[in-house]
Amino acid sequence: MTHILIAPSIIAADFGHLAEQVREAEAGGADWLHVDVMDGQFVPNITIGPFVVAALRSLTRLPLDVHLMIVQPERFIEDFVQAGASTLTVHIEATNHLHRTISSIKESGIRAGITLNPATPLTSLEPVLADVDLALVMSVNPGFSGQRYIPASTARIRKLRHMLDAIGSEATLEVDGGINMSNAREVVEAGATALVAASAIFNAKASVLDNIDSLRRTLYN
Ligand code: DX5
Ligand code: ZN
């Protein structure tokens, strides 16, 4: 059975205790750490930049899965690579030069990912799908953690799974937004191989470790 990657997003972590939260996620069996970068322009929120990615890099051995919700992401590839990103995922709505952007991410030696907003047709991924290491289905409108999973996302995951299989791609199929203990299994059954979760993992209801554990258990029970 494929190992499903769990990528806690630090966007919902307690930033006053970021180092502890990251260590807890690592100890709890997180596969990647998801880092949501927002610029206040592509999305109506501002989060963090390369400095925090560099700080995270020195805190953990986990791969850093960096999700760029910024306009013209090509301007900052070098900075995020230098900071220690393992994967850089760009939005197809955010650049006029998607192919060039993906090429330069790959040329810098890290994994390249693409993603798209819930209302953007999946067919717009076709020209670059064979070139990417990761394709991310947004299951909420990007900008904030704690939103509800958009039910139509499941059909999109299934469709993207078919598109990837049809071209023999082994790219990671990641899903981001509103993932929790009640829908993770459905998302994986539709074909996802990586799950991002922020509010389901970093919350006061249980420890980070227990939350990751519960999420994983829902996949295999
Ligand atoms: C949405 C971000 C997500 C999100 C996840 O803009 O890309 O990573 O914060 O948060 P939850 O899991 O709480 O929906
Ligand atoms: Zn994200």
mmCIF file of all heavy atoms in Angstrom, residues 166-192:
data_model
loop_
_atom_site.group_PDB
_atom_site.id
_atom_site.type_symbol
_atom_site.label_atom_id
_atom_site.label_comp_id
_atom_site.label_asym_id
_atom_site.label_seq_id
_atom_site.Cartn_x
_atom_site.Cartn_y
_atom_site.Cartn_z
ATOM 1 N N ALA A 166 -2.677 8.550 -16.693
ATOM 2 C CA ALA A 166 -2.708 8.454 -18.154
ATOM 3 C C ALA A 166 -1.360 8.811 -18.787
ATOM 4 O O ALA A 166 -1.026 8.313 -19.854
ATOM 5 C CB ALA A 166 -3.802 9.355 -18.710
ATOM 6 N N ILE A 167 -0.594 9.657 -18.128
ATOM 7 C CA ILE A 167 0.710 10.011 -18.707
ATOM 8 C C ILE A 167 1.851 9.286 -17.977
ATOM 9 O O ILE A 167 3.027 9.576 -18.193
ATOM 10 C CB ILE A 167 0.958 11.545 -18.679
ATOM 11 C CG1 ILE A 167 0.894 12.102 -17.249
ATOM 12 C CG2 ILE A 167 -0.046 12.265 -19.581
ATOM 13 C CD1 ILE A 167 1.413 13.524 -17.123
ATOM 14 N N GLY A 168 1.487 8.359 -17.105
ATOM 15 C CA GLY A 168 2.507 7.582 -16.394
ATOM 16 C C GLY A 168 3.300 8.420 -15.397
ATOM 17 O O GLY A 168 4.450 8.100 -15.082
ATOM 18 N N SER A 169 2.691 9.475 -14.896
ATOM 19 C CA SER A 169 3.397 10.335 -13.941
ATOM 20 C C SER A 169 3.340 9.746 -12.539
ATOM 21 O O SER A 169 2.301 9.253 -12.105
ATOM 22 C CB SER A 169 2.748 11.723 -13.916
ATOM 23 O OG SER A 169 3.215 12.436 -12.797
ATOM 24 N N GLU A 170 4.464 9.843 -11.846
ATOM 25 C CA GLU A 170 4.485 9.400 -10.454
ATOM 26 C C GLU A 170 4.513 10.593 -9.508
ATOM 27 O O GLU A 170 4.913 10.476 -8.347
ATOM 28 C CB GLU A 170 5.674 8.490 -10.219
ATOM 29 C CG GLU A 170 5.475 7.193 -10.970
ATOM 30 C CD GLU A 170 6.506 6.129 -10.665
ATOM 31 O OE1 GLU A 170 7.435 6.393 -9.879
ATOM 32 O OE2 GLU A 170 6.355 5.035 -11.234
ATOM 33 N N ALA A 171 4.100 11.733 -10.007
ATOM 34 C CA ALA A 171 4.082 12.942 -9.176
ATOM 35 C C ALA A 171 3.196 12.730 -7.944
ATOM 36 O O ALA A 171 2.203 12.003 -7.999
ATOM 37 C CB ALA A 171 3.555 14.123 -9.993
ATOM 38 N N THR A 172 3.573 13.363 -6.875
ATOM 39 C CA THR A 172 2.741 13.358 -5.666
ATOM 40 C C THR A 172 1.437 14.095 -5.978
ATOM 41 O O THR A 172 1.464 15.159 -6.573
ATOM 42 C CB THR A 172 3.476 14.119 -4.538
ATOM 43 O OG1 THR A 172 4.772 13.546 -4.359
ATOM 44 C CG2 THR A 172 2.699 14.074 -3.236
ATOM 45 N N LEU A 173 0.324 13.510 -5.568
ATOM 46 C CA LEU A 173 -0.962 14.224 -5.687
ATOM 47 C C LEU A 173 -1.355 14.681 -4.284
ATOM 48 O O LEU A 173 -1.767 13.875 -3.438
ATOM 49 C CB LEU A 173 -2.039 13.311 -6.307
ATOM 50 C CG LEU A 173 -3.269 14.015 -6.905
ATOM 51 C CD1 LEU A 173 -4.174 13.003 -7.608
ATOM 52 C CD2 LEU A 173 -4.058 14.829 -5.929
ATOM 53 N N GLU A 174 -1.169 15.944 -4.050
ATOM 54 C CA GLU A 174 -1.391 16.498 -2.710
ATOM 55 C C GLU A 174 -2.735 17.244 -2.663
ATOM 56 O O GLU A 174 -3.179 17.786 -3.678
ATOM 57 C CB GLU A 174 -0.242 17.469 -2.398
ATOM 58 C CG GLU A 174 -0.193 18.009 -0.988
ATOM 59 C CD GLU A 174 1.059 18.870 -0.750
ATOM 60 O OE1 GLU A 174 1.334 19.783 -1.552
ATOM 61 O OE2 GLU A 174 1.742 18.633 0.263
ATOM 62 N N VAL A 175 -3.351 17.238 -1.495
ATOM 63 C CA VAL A 175 -4.617 17.958 -1.315
ATOM 64 C C VAL A 175 -4.469 18.862 -0.095
ATOM 65 O O VAL A 175 -3.888 18.476 0.920
ATOM 66 C CB VAL A 175 -5.800 16.976 -1.135
ATOM 67 C CG1 VAL A 175 -7.120 17.736 -0.959
ATOM 68 C CG2 VAL A 175 -5.898 16.050 -2.347
ATOM 69 N N ASP A 176 -5.007 20.087 -0.218
ATOM 70 C CA ASP A 176 -4.776 21.112 0.804
ATOM 71 C C ASP A 176 -6.053 21.908 1.047
ATOM 72 O O ASP A 176 -6.576 22.543 0.130
ATOM 73 C CB ASP A 176 -3.658 22.033 0.288
ATOM 74 C CG ASP A 176 -3.246 23.103 1.285
ATOM 75 O OD1 ASP A 176 -3.728 23.087 2.429
ATOM 76 O OD2 ASP A 176 -2.422 23.959 0.909
ATOM 77 N N GLY A 177 -6.531 21.877 2.288
ATOM 78 C CA GLY A 177 -7.658 22.712 2.676
ATOM 79 C C GLY A 177 -8.800 21.914 3.266
ATOM 80 O O GLY A 177 -9.401 21.079 2.608
ATOM 81 N N GLY A 178 -9.049 22.152 4.557
ATOM 82 C CA GLY A 178 -10.191 21.525 5.213
ATOM 83 C C GLY A 178 -10.062 20.024 5.420
ATOM 84 O O GLY A 178 -11.061 19.343 5.660
ATOM 85 N N ILE A 179 -8.841 19.511 5.365
ATOM 86 C CA ILE A 179 -8.649 18.065 5.576
ATOM 87 C C ILE A 179 -8.743 17.770 7.074
ATOM 88 O O ILE A 179 -8.113 18.445 7.894
ATOM 89 C CB ILE A 179 -7.265 17.601 5.044
ATOM 90 C CG1 ILE A 179 -7.145 17.866 3.532
ATOM 91 C CG2 ILE A 179 -7.016 16.133 5.387
ATOM 92 C CD1 ILE A 179 -8.088 17.061 2.674
ATOM 93 N N ASN A 180 -9.541 16.762 7.405
ATOM 94 C CA ASN A 180 -9.676 16.382 8.814
ATOM 95 C C ASN A 180 -9.924 14.882 8.932
ATOM 96 O O ASN A 180 -9.881 14.156 7.928
ATOM 97 C CB ASN A 180 -10.798 17.198 9.485
ATOM 98 C CG ASN A 180 -12.117 17.021 8.749
ATOM 99 O OD1 ASN A 180 -12.436 15.917 8.279
ATOM 100 N ND2 ASN A 180 -12.884 18.089 8.640
ATOM 101 N N MET A 181 -10.193 14.426 10.143
ATOM 102 C CA MET A 181 -10.346 12.999 10.402
ATOM 103 C C MET A 181 -11.561 12.426 9.656
ATOM 104 O O MET A 181 -11.629 11.236 9.426
ATOM 105 C CB MET A 181 -10.489 12.731 11.902
ATOM 106 C CG MET A 181 -9.210 12.896 12.721
ATOM 107 S SD MET A 181 -8.307 14.435 12.404
ATOM 108 C CE MET A 181 -7.167 14.552 13.738
ATOM 109 N N SER A 182 -12.535 13.277 9.314
ATOM 110 C CA SER A 182 -13.741 12.737 8.670
ATOM 111 C C SER A 182 -13.637 12.647 7.155
ATOM 112 O O SER A 182 -14.430 11.935 6.542
ATOM 113 C CB SER A 182 -14.972 13.589 8.970
ATOM 114 O OG SER A 182 -14.846 14.242 10.164
ATOM 115 N N ASN A 183 -12.735 13.404 6.553
ATOM 116 C CA ASN A 183 -12.703 13.336 5.080
ATOM 117 C C ASN A 183 -11.383 12.826 4.500
ATOM 118 O O ASN A 183 -11.276 12.632 3.290
ATOM 119 C CB ASN A 183 -13.073 14.697 4.468
ATOM 120 C CG ASN A 183 -12.130 15.807 4.929
ATOM 121 O OD1 ASN A 183 -11.009 15.543 5.343
ATOM 122 N ND2 ASN A 183 -12.581 17.046 4.855
ATOM 123 N N ALA A 184 -10.383 12.601 5.346
ATOM 124 C CA ALA A 184 -9.062 12.215 4.833
ATOM 125 C C ALA A 184 -9.128 10.921 4.017
ATOM 126 O O ALA A 184 -8.513 10.797 2.961
ATOM 127 C CB ALA A 184 -8.086 12.053 5.989
ATOM 128 N N ARG A 185 -9.927 10.000 4.488
ATOM 129 C CA ARG A 185 -9.993 8.715 3.807
ATOM 130 C C ARG A 185 -10.610 8.832 2.411
ATOM 131 O O ARG A 185 -10.120 8.255 1.445
ATOM 132 C CB ARG A 185 -10.798 7.732 4.658
ATOM 133 C CG ARG A 185 -10.681 6.333 4.138
ATOM 134 C CD ARG A 185 -11.399 5.378 5.050
ATOM 135 N NE ARG A 185 -11.351 4.066 4.467
ATOM 136 C CZ ARG A 185 -11.033 2.984 5.143
ATOM 137 N NH1 ARG A 185 -10.741 3.061 6.418
ATOM 138 N NH2 ARG A 185 -11.022 1.834 4.542
ATOM 139 N N GLU A 186 -11.673 9.620 2.341
ATOM 140 C CA GLU A 186 -12.329 9.851 1.050
ATOM 141 C C GLU A 186 -11.352 10.479 0.037
ATOM 142 O O GLU A 186 -11.315 10.106 -1.133
ATOM 143 C CB GLU A 186 -13.528 10.791 1.295
ATOM 144 C CG GLU A 186 -14.092 11.464 0.075
ATOM 145 C CD GLU A 186 -15.214 12.480 0.428
ATOM 146 O OE1 GLU A 186 -15.894 12.310 1.461
ATOM 147 O OE2 GLU A 186 -15.382 13.436 -0.352
ATOM 148 N N VAL A 187 -10.529 11.392 0.537
ATOM 149 C CA VAL A 187 -9.563 12.091 -0.305
ATOM 150 C C VAL A 187 -8.488 11.126 -0.814
ATOM 151 O O VAL A 187 -8.091 11.148 -1.984
ATOM 152 C CB VAL A 187 -8.968 13.264 0.523
ATOM 153 C CG1 VAL A 187 -7.704 13.816 -0.072
ATOM 154 C CG2 VAL A 187 -10.019 14.361 0.699
ATOM 155 N N VAL A 188 -8.056 10.248 0.065
ATOM 156 C CA VAL A 188 -7.045 9.256 -0.319
ATOM 157 C C VAL A 188 -7.653 8.224 -1.274
ATOM 158 O O VAL A 188 -7.032 7.838 -2.265
ATOM 159 C CB VAL A 188 -6.435 8.597 0.940
ATOM 160 C CG1 VAL A 188 -5.619 7.361 0.593
ATOM 161 C CG2 VAL A 188 -5.579 9.613 1.675
ATOM 162 N N GLU A 189 -8.881 7.833 -1.011
ATOM 163 C CA GLU A 189 -9.533 6.869 -1.914
ATOM 164 C C GLU A 189 -9.725 7.462 -3.311
ATOM 165 O O GLU A 189 -9.730 6.736 -4.301
ATOM 166 C CB GLU A 189 -10.861 6.389 -1.318
ATOM 167 C CG GLU A 189 -10.601 5.364 -0.227
ATOM 168 C CD GLU A 189 -11.844 4.910 0.541
ATOM 169 O OE1 GLU A 189 -12.936 5.469 0.324
ATOM 170 O OE2 GLU A 189 -11.687 3.996 1.375
ATOM 171 N N ALA A 190 -9.848 8.782 -3.376
ATOM 172 C CA ALA A 190 -9.991 9.427 -4.691
ATOM 173 C C ALA A 190 -8.654 9.502 -5.429
ATOM 174 O O ALA A 190 -8.622 9.807 -6.611
ATOM 175 C CB ALA A 190 -10.586 10.821 -4.519
ATOM 176 N N GLY A 191 -7.562 9.261 -4.698
ATOM 177 C CA GLY A 191 -6.269 9.219 -5.394
ATOM 178 C C GLY A 191 -5.176 10.111 -4.847
ATOM 179 O O GLY A 191 -4.080 10.173 -5.405
ATOM 180 N N ALA A 192 -5.435 10.796 -3.732
ATOM 181 C CA ALA A 192 -4.389 11.646 -3.148
ATOM 182 C C ALA A 192 -3.290 10.788 -2.527
ATOM 183 O O ALA A 192 -3.570 9.706 -1.995
ATOM 184 C CB ALA A 192 -4.994 12.554 -2.082
#
